[in-house]
Amino acid sequence: MYVAIDLDAGAALTIPAEHAERALYPVEGELELDGFPLPDTCLTVLDEGSEPTLRARTPSRVMLCGGEPLDGPRFVWWNFVSSSRERIERAKADWREGRFDRVPGETEFIPLPG
């Protein structure tokens, strides 16, 4: 799920526990979660099963995202994400050798990091 929530100053919303994984990302305004300030432009991961109360101190917008857990671990290296470390190694080799399709209109090539 990916939900934009607009709240007037003083408005409150209880975040339901219907999804196992949920997080809030404040976009603008001053917010608090269960009475504690919600850090500005910082992703806050909610505890599974919790139903915290989000309250706006000022007119605010916050994004709520989440869903069911993935079916296993994911590995991240630079711009590559995979459920297999071996696939990431193949992607590195493919990038080095120029086997990825080019982005139309883009001429710059960025080499793999260090």
Side-chain angles (χ1 to χ4, degrees):
M1 90 180 129
Y2 191 70
V3 181
I5 301 170
D6 292 316
L7 296 170
D8 293 329
L13 175 70
T14 299
I15 307 296
E18 63 190 65
H19 295 284
E21 295 183 349
R22 301 160 299 148
L24 293 167
Y25 185 84
V27 177
E28 62 184 32
E30 293 180 28
L31 295 150
E32 59 183 45
L33 190 64
D34 284 342
F36 294 95
L38 196 61
D40 191 33
T41 62
C42 181
L43 188 69
T44 298
V45 177
L46 304 177
D47 292 331
E48 186 174 349
S50 68
E51 292 195 344
T53 299
L54 179 67
R55 184 174 309 279
R57 295 179 183 163
T58 64
S60 301
R61 171 170 272 199
V62 61
M63 304 309 294
L64 169 65
C65 59
E68 294 306 308
L70 297 173
D71 60 356
R74 296 298 183 268
F75 304 99
V76 178
W77 187 88
W78 192 47
N79 291 328
F80 305 129
V81 179
S82 178
S83 54
S84 158
R85 289 185 194 274
E86 294 78 19
R87 180 63 191 108
I88 288 179
E89 292 304 316
R90 282 196 316 271
K92 287 180 187 181
D94 289 343
W95 186 264
R96 274 189 215 99
E97 300 300 319
R99 291 188 286 256
F100 277 84
D101 290 338
R102 295 287 178 155
V103 174
E106 183 63 52
T107 58
E108 181 183 19
F109 176 77
I110 299 172
L112 290 174

